[in-house]
């Protein structure tokens, strides 16, 4: 009975963590209503109803997707561009304004289909999915390539930006100041830009270098309490996730306190930021209207005497939030860059679980197998505790007759009854909470895996076996559409897949190993609980269900083993089951 109560307690606590948290956060931190999306560029305005934001992000309706495809083709075909070719990034730089507005991530596909194209992170200004970065100067009394001055930059003939061939663009304002942008790219997602201005005029000038990332929130991924999506940055060594697009839209401009270590925008899987190198700079978020936002990195003004030059170096990250890549950039000097993954308050526990999971993956090459091995390790570590749990069960059952006697004796005095029960526990050396420990220890592991599955790019599009092509997504085969044979997508709460069905069955078998409850109400709860959890867990990531199914199977095996080590428990369980059946039969006979 104690074990069953613990199982119920663990299930309820787990459900509370997964759903109560989400519901509570939704109540206390409601998200703003998604505005009706209006297609403005390229034709007549057409109001559309946007779909729900996803972890992937991106445009959410067919009209915008079609317009993006059309506008992207025409935008990339117009003007002079310099190609970018690197292992991590491909695309081009628009010489009109020296804008980085065409980048795709070579290592990540749009969908699980192998022939789907690479994920596009940057699109030109004016396209529905616009996102780009730019570097320039604000000048005082001189013509400078500022944010509104889309000058035509010069590039060497046949130039191409690759890891082995940096690129330098130049522009002369014709009044004594010469500007240059030198781009260098690595094998992942970092582009380093040297901004140089030389004053060849006759008098002093004042210039202020800047860099910014500009994007629309129409392509933003799902923002929730567990995973932040929106403005992100580190200032004076502290990473902030508290600013949302709505905050910026309402304020117009938000000047972050302290010096900017890096600043930009993040989605669940992707991120675009700018970071100063060996210089202080301010960080500001701006709303430009029409769902357009900008993250500015602004260096101090600098006076240049005739013959002097100024150089500022900025790093632009535009890529996937792969934890090893982010940690490597942090090791190279970008403060707290590894913390740009929003692990939340339980980072201290989630990161070790994620680390172990990725190490197991590197050994076996399949994340589903890695999850199974992780479950084995967790249950193996907890096995001694499970043995104590069974010992506690034995002790609790041994004192059951005395407890029933106390309950009968003091049935009209609950306080006295409780005192006597506690006294009995003390005299017999019984700790009723000892049996709960394994369950409590599993909840953080379960939550850590849940967080890993929803935010780690390493889990995205990772297959297991057969029909499970993406462990971070729900099981795609549902009972109601005959496991994919019927062209029908049921509502999420009815989308019972194969894994959810296995979860219900294994949980039912696990409960059946325990003695039947004397209380009819508890019997009903135990009969309903597995199938209730099947519906609850069905919309969750397949990897999470895989973990739970494996854990249930191990629990069944463990129970059988420990029953063999403690035959008195098996005999007692069978006796309780028989007594329950007889009581039930007698009750039916009376009726």
């Amino acid at each position: 009975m104690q074990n069953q109560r613990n199982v119920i307690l663990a299930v309820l606590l787990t459900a509370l963590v997964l759903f109560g948290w989400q519901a509570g956060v939704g109540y206390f931190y409601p998200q703003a209503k998604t505005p009706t999306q209006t297609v403005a560029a390229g034709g007549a305005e057409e109001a559309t109803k946007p779909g729900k934001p996803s972890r992937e992000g991106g445009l959410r309706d067919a009209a915008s997707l079609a317009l993006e495809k059309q506008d992207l083709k025409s935008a990339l075909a117009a003007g002079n561009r310099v190609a970018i070719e690197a292992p991590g990034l491909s695309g081009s730089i628009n010489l009109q304004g020296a804008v980085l507005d065409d980048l795709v991530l070579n290592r990540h596909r749009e969908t699980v289909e192998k022939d789907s194209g690479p994920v596009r992170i940057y699109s030109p200004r004016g396209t529905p999915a616009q996102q780009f970065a730019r570097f320039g100067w604000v000048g005082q009394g001189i013509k400078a390539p500022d944010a509104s001055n889309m000058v035509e930059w010069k590039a060497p003939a046949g130039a191409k930006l690759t890891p082995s061939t940096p690129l330098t663009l130049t522009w002369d304002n014709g009044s004594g100041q010469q500007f240059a942008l030198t781009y260098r790219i690595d094998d992942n997602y970092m582009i380093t830009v040297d901004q140089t201005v030389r004053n060849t005029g006759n008098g002093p000038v004042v210039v202020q270098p800047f860099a910014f990332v500009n994007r629309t929130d129409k392509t933003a991924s799902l923002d929730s309490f567990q995973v932040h999506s929106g403005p992100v940055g580190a200032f004076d060594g502290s990473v902030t996730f508290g600013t949302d697009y709505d905050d910026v839209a309402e304020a117009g401009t938000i000047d972050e306190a302290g010096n900017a270590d890096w600043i930009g925008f993040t989605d669940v899987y992707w991120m675009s930021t700018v970071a100063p190198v060996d210089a202080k700079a301010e960080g500001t978020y701006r709303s430009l209207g029409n769902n357009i936002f900008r993250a500015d990195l602004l260096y101090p003004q600098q006076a240049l005497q005739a013959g002097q030059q100024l150089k500022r170096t900025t790093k632009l990250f535009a890529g996937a939030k792969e934890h090893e890549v982010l940690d490597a950039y942090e090791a190279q000097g970008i403060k707290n860059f590894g913390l740009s993954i929003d692990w939340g308050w339980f980072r201290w526990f989630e990161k070790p679980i994620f680390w172990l999971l990725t190490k197991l993956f590197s050994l076996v090459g399949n994340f589903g197998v890695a999850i199974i091995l992780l479950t084995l390790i967790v249950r193996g570590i907890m096995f001694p505790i499970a043995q104590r749990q069974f010992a506690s069960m034995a002790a609790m059952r041994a004192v059951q007759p005395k407890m029933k006697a106390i309950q009968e004796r003091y049935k009209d005095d609950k306080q006295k009854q409780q005192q006597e029960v506690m006294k009995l526990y003390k005299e017999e050396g019984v700790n009723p909470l000892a049996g709960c420990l394994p369950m409590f220890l599993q909840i953080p592991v379960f939550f850590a895996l849940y967080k890993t599955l929803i935010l780690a790019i390493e889990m995205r599009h990772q297959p297991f076996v057969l029909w499970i092509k993406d462990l971070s997504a729900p099981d795609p085969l549902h009972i109601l559409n005959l496991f994919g044979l019927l062209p029908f997508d049921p509502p999420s709460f009815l989308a019972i897949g194969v894994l959810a069905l296995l979860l219900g069955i294994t949980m039912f078998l696990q409960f059946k190993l325990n003695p039947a409850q004397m209380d009819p109400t508890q019997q009903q709860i135990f009969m309903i609980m597995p199938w209730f959890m099947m519906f609850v867990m069905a919309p969750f990531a397949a990897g999470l269900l895989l973990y739970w199914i494996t854990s249930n199977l191990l629990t069944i095996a463990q129970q059988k083993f420990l029953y063999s080590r403690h035959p008195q428990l098996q005999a007692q369980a069978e006796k309780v089951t028989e007594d329950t059946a007889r009581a039930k039969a007698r009750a039916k006979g009376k009726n």
Side-chain angles (χ1 to χ4, degrees), residues 2 8 79 158 283 394 440 532:
Q2 182 68 17
I8 289 180
F440 278 115
F532 169 73

Side-chain angles (χ1 to χ4, degrees), residues 266-564:
T266 185
D267 294 300
V268 173
Y269 291 137
W270 330 114
M271 187 169 70
S272 180
T273 62
V274 284
V277 177
D278 298 330
K280 292 183 178 180
E282 298 176 351
T284 302
Y285 300 111
R286 300 179 193 277
S287 171
L288 306 182
N290 196 26
N291 295 96
I292 305 298
F293 297 88
R294 206 171 79 188
D296 289 320
L297 190 69
L298 194 62
Y299 293 95
Q301 288 184 340
Q302 185 80 36
L304 288 181
Q305 300 297 326
Q308 287 185 329
Q309 76 169 24
L310 172 67
K311 178 181 177 182
R312 287 286 178 262
T313 300
T314 306
K315 289 185 176 294
L316 168 68
F317 176 89
K321 294 160 68 175
E322 300 165 5
H323 80 285
E324 287 187 352
V325 172
L326 297 176
D327 289 344
Y329 288 140
E330 181 174 328
Q332 293 170 14
I334 304 179
K335 292 181 181 176
N336 292 327
F337 209 53
L339 298 182
S340 57
I341 297 177
D342 186 11
W343 290 101
W345 298 338
F346 301 105
R347 181 177 71 240
W348 59 273
F349 189 80
E350 292 162 357
K351 289 199 74 170
I353 293 292
F354 173 69
W355 176 86
L356 178 58
L357 188 61
T358 52
K359 289 300 178 186
L360 292 171
F361 171 69
S362 66
L363 290 175
V364 298
N366 183 298
F367 257 116
V369 177
I371 289 173
I372 292 173
L373 292 177
L374 173 69
T375 316
L376 284 167
I377 291 172
V378 170
R379 296 308 300 250
I381 293 173
M382 292 183 183
F383 189 76
I385 301 174
Q387 284 186 300
R388 293 181 188 176
Q389 178 191 16
F390 262 66
S392 175
M393 287 171 57
M396 286 294 296
R397 289 173 189 236
V399 301
Q400 285 296 311
K402 295 181 180 179
M403 284 186 61
K404 287 183 179 178
I406 291 173
Q407 290 167 352
E408 285 294 323
R409 191 180 309 148
Y410 300 105
K411 60 183 177 182
D412 297 326
D413 187 347
K414 296 298 180 184
Q415 184 176 1
K416 181 66 176 177
Q417 182 187 104
Q418 185 66 22
Q419 290 174 349
E420 291 298 318
V421 168
M422 296 306 294
K423 182 180 176 182
L424 176 64
Y425 286 158
K426 188 174 182 180
E427 290 173 352
E428 299 291 339
V430 173
N431 181 4
L433 297 179
C436 301
L437 188 57
M439 303 300 173
F440 278 115
L441 291 178
Q442 284 194 70
I443 291 174
V445 177
F446 185 83
F447 186 71
L449 186 59
Y450 165 73
K451 198 70 181 289
T452 296
L453 285 163
I454 64 172
L455 65 81
I457 184 73
E458 288 80 2
M459 297 297 295
R460 179 180 181 265
H461 293 176
Q462 285 293 338
F464 178 39
V465 293
L466 301 175
W467 73 96
I468 303 176
K469 306 298 183 186
D470 187 355
L471 284 163
S472 68
D475 189 342
L477 299 188
H478 308 144
I479 295 175
L480 290 184
N481 64 9
L482 297 181
F483 304 110
L485 295 177
L486 297 178
F488 166 62
D489 289 326
S492 60
F493 71 97
L494 290 177
I496 307 299
V498 177
L499 291 178
L501 189 61
L502 289 175
L503 174 69
I505 292 171
T506 54
M507 187 174 285
F508 177 77
L509 294 176
Q510 182 184 341
F511 286 175
K512 289 292 286 184
L513 273 180
N514 295 314
Q517 297 298 304
M518 300 296 289
D519 185 350
T521 304
Q522 289 190 23
Q523 287 184 36
Q524 292 176 359
I525 292 175
F526 275 101
M527 290 298 292
I528 295 173
M529 183 64 72
W531 314 116
F532 169 73
M533 291 307 297
M534 180 182 73
F535 280 94
V536 168
M537 294 300 298
F540 279 72
L544 203 62
L545 271 68
L546 178 62
Y547 169 82
W548 201 327
I549 292 168
T550 307
S551 181
N552 285 347
L553 292 173
L554 291 174
T555 300
I556 292 170
Q558 175 185 293
Q559 282 182 296
K560 283 188 169 294
F561 172 74
L562 290 175
Y563 271 142
S564 69

Side-chain angles (χ1 to χ4, degrees), residues 10-29 224-226 345 443 446-447 450 532-533 536-537 540:
V11 169
L12 293 178
L13 286 173
T14 303
L16 181 65
V17 169
L18 294 179
F19 305 104
W21 190 330
Q22 181 71 33
V25 169
Y27 177 80
F28 290 107
Y29 302 93
S224 66
F225 185 73
Q226 292 99 328
W345 298 338
I443 291 174
F446 185 83
F447 186 71
Y450 165 73
F532 169 73
M533 291 307 297
V536 168
M537 294 300 298
F540 279 72

Side-chain angles (χ1 to χ4, degrees), residues 192-214:
T192 303
V193 181
D194 296 328
Q195 299 170 251
T196 307
V197 54
R198 180 187 298 275
N199 182 15
T200 60
N202 296 324
V205 298
V206 176
V207 293
Q208 188 170 22
F210 69 81
F212 67 73
V213 176
N214 185 305

Side-chain angles (χ1 to χ4, degrees), residues 218-238:
K218 294 177 182 176
T219 59
S221 60
L222 180 66
D223 181 33
S224 66
F225 185 73
Q226 292 99 328
V227 184
H228 172 69
S229 174
V232 66
F235 306 92
D236 284 343
S238 178

